[in-house]
Amino acid sequence: MADLNREEKEFIRSFVERELKEVEKHEHDFTELLSNSPFLSQLHTRDRHVEFLASQERYHQFLKSLLAKLK
């Protein structure tokens, strides 16, 4: 995978930060979070092997890890 430039990292970081806020807002209802996101819902339904969507905790950790890599 090609290296991301600063602008690309900032763009992706803003999406990850926004998603982290949503995950924390819906921490007690991960199903609602998935159902409110067409992309995540489709990914979860189509690709059951995506481990980071197995639970709210795993998804939260995945996003935090991704954010750390983007800094």
Side-chain angles (χ1 to χ4, degrees):
M1 184 159 131
D3 289 329
L4 300 173
N5 66 36
R6 189 179 60 102
E7 185 178 63
E8 292 165 333
K9 282 184 180 180
E10 287 177 13
F11 181 78
I12 295 169
R13 185 173 38 243
S14 70
F15 273 102
V16 172
E17 287 171 344
R18 190 176 109 208
E19 187 67 6
L20 263 171
K21 287 178 185 175
E22 285 298 309
V23 168
E24 291 166 357
K25 185 169 98 175
H26 294 282
E27 69 180 305
H28 300 293
D29 194 357
F30 187 59
T31 305
E32 181 181 339
L33 177 71
L34 289 177
S35 66
N36 286 336
S37 170
F39 173 74
L40 289 179
S41 181
Q42 180 183 18
L43 183 63
H44 185 254
T45 302
R46 185 186 66 213
D47 299 321
R48 292 268 179 197
H49 67 279
V50 179
E51 297 225 0
F52 65 82
L53 289 178
S55 69
Q56 185 272 344
E57 183 179 323
R58 285 186 182 180
Y59 188 47
H60 190 255
Q61 286 302 110
F62 172 78
L63 292 172
K64 287 175 72 174
S65 174
L66 183 57
L67 188 59
K69 291 177 183 179
L70 291 167
K71 291 188 176 191

